[in-house]
Each structure stands twice: as C-alpha cells, then as structure tokens.
Amino acid sequence: MQLFYAATSPFVRKTMIVACECGLMDEIELVATTVAPGNSNRDFGDNHNPLRQIPTLKLSDGNHLYDSFVICDYLVERAGNKTMLPAEGALRTQVLRNHALLNGMTERAVATRYETFARPEEYRWPAMIEDNFDRIDKGLQWLNANIAHQLDGPFDISEAAFVALMKYLDLRFEDLGWRDKFPALVEPYEALCEIESVKAAYAIS
C-alpha cells in the first residue's frame, strides 16, 4: 500500500496512529505529497484523488481510498482490530460521535490555518476566522467538561483524533493556550501521547 501524506497534516497523523496501532505501518510506503491552496497538484488529482486531498491510500490492487476516516476504517477492518472502532452498540455510537466532533474541530483548525497564513492578508475574512476559533473553543469546552467519561475504554479512533488535533493546535496556534483554559484535557492528552502507536506515528517525518 502507499499512503500519500504531508507530515504536518493532523488527518495524516491520525491515520498513521491507527496504522501503527493496527500493526500495518510496515506494509505502507509513504509518498510525500504537497496539496495546498496555490499548489493544486493536478497530477496527483488525475492519478490518485480527484479531490486532491491527503491522506490518500493506494491499495495493492490499484484502488484508492480517501478521507481519513474511510482509510482508518479500512485499516481497522484489515487488521481485525476490535477496539479502535467498535463494531456495534453504545460504545460505537460514542466513539463515532466523539470522532465527528474532533474531526470537525480539526477541519476548522486547518481552514483557519489556510485563511490566516496561505490567503493574502487583504483577502482574509476576519469574521470566518473568529467563527472558526469559536467553534474550536466550544468543542474544547465540551471536551473539558466530559473528557473523563469518554476515555474509559480501550484506545480508539476518537482518541487518535484527539491527539492529532491537540498536537496540531500546538503546532499552528500555540497562542490559544488550551492547557490553561481547559486543564482537564492536559493529563489525558499527555497520557495518550505516551501510547506506543502515537509515539511511533509522530516519529515518522
């Protein structure tokens, strides 16, 4: 398999965490790929993903998977991992809900990075930037109030998404000061960072 990736993408890092946790990283060749505003990479779009988004996973049969959740779901199924994405019941619903929240927050964070860094300053939209930060803040508020009730099971895809989001916020928006504003998140985050699959995923450059 081939994983088209960029090292700074939180969606890529989430996917790598799942691949490492499932014991599949050794089966994946990494292909560094640039796709960003101002760099359309049409060759990548023509040959691998018409949306020109990463991560994209090329399977051994030549088919491609895109969207980080779809890729993670495939890896979990391939590995027969029963904990990263529970198959049924209330725990599955909880994991999917938490992942949806964290994935949405990550989308807002990446969009804000593009708006505040990639877009020329005279074309930036302050109201959208403020709204994105507010959505992230409200999501962190919810997590801060509920995190103790969400981490009582085995390591799962929503926790991988949580680590990837928080590391991205540290990388791109350090001045948000989430540790001071949301102290209940600090200990769970630090504990998750010590999981071997997380350390292995972030050791990949």
Side-chain angles (χ1 to χ4, degrees):
M1 295 181 285
Q2 289 182 314
L3 182 68
F4 297 86
Y5 84 108
T8 57
S9 166
F11 301 106
V12 166
R13 290 300 182 184
K14 176 185 69 179
T15 302
M16 288 180 171
I17 291 171
V18 172
C20 290
E21 184 70 17
C22 290
L24 294 174
M25 204 66 219
D26 289 344
E27 300 180 28
I28 297 173
E29 174 192 357
L30 297 175
V31 182
T33 306
T34 300
V35 284
N39 187 336
S40 60
N41 201 340
R42 295 188 180 278
D43 180 69
F44 175 70
D46 291 342
N47 292 288
H48 301 292
N49 182 344
L51 297 175
R52 301 195 295 271
Q53 293 177 337
I54 52 173
T56 294
L57 184 69
K58 182 179 180 180
L59 306 180
S60 56
D61 64 4
N63 284 317
H64 292 80
L65 299 179
Y66 19 86
D67 182 90
S68 61
F69 180 80
V70 173
I71 296 171
C72 290
D73 182 58
Y74 171 81
L75 296 174
V76 166
E77 180 70 20
R78 178 174 175 138
N81 188 301
K82 304 298 184 182
T83 58
M84 285 300 291
L85 186 56
E88 59 186 5
L91 182 57
R92 176 179 175 84
T93 300
Q94 175 179 301
V95 169
L96 290 176
R97 186 275 311 278
N98 292 351
H99 178 270
L101 172 65
L102 290 154
N103 207 62
M105 294 164 66
T106 305
E107 289 174 349
R108 294 301 93 210
V110 172
T112 303
R113 169 66 176 175
Y114 286 154
E115 186 70 20
T116 57
F117 181 79
R119 189 185 295 274
E121 186 171 1
E122 63 269 26
Y123 299 119
R124 292 173 190 171
W125 189 4
M128 188 182 79
I129 295 169
E130 181 180 354
D131 184 63
N132 284 342
F133 278 132
D134 184 63
R135 295 182 194 212
I136 294 168
D137 188 78
K138 293 299 189 293
L140 292 174
Q141 285 183 30
W142 186 90
L143 289 169
N144 192 69
N146 294 280
I147 196 73
H149 306 294
Q150 308 304 317
L151 300 179
D152 52 0
F155 184 54
D156 61 53
I157 188 174
S158 69
E159 292 166 344
F162 173 68
V163 171
L165 169 63
M166 305 316 281
K167 284 186 174 288
Y168 187 75
L169 294 180
D170 280 346
L171 175 67
R172 298 303 194 198
F173 304 107
E174 186 177 7
D175 58 347
L176 286 179
W178 66 264
R179 288 171 177 81
D180 293 330
K181 292 179 67 177
F182 308 108
L185 302 182
V186 176
E187 185 175 347
Y189 168 73
E190 292 178 348
L192 290 171
C193 286
E194 292 303 311
I195 293 176
E196 289 303 317
S197 56
V198 174
K199 292 194 289 187
Y202 278 88
I204 299 168
S205 59

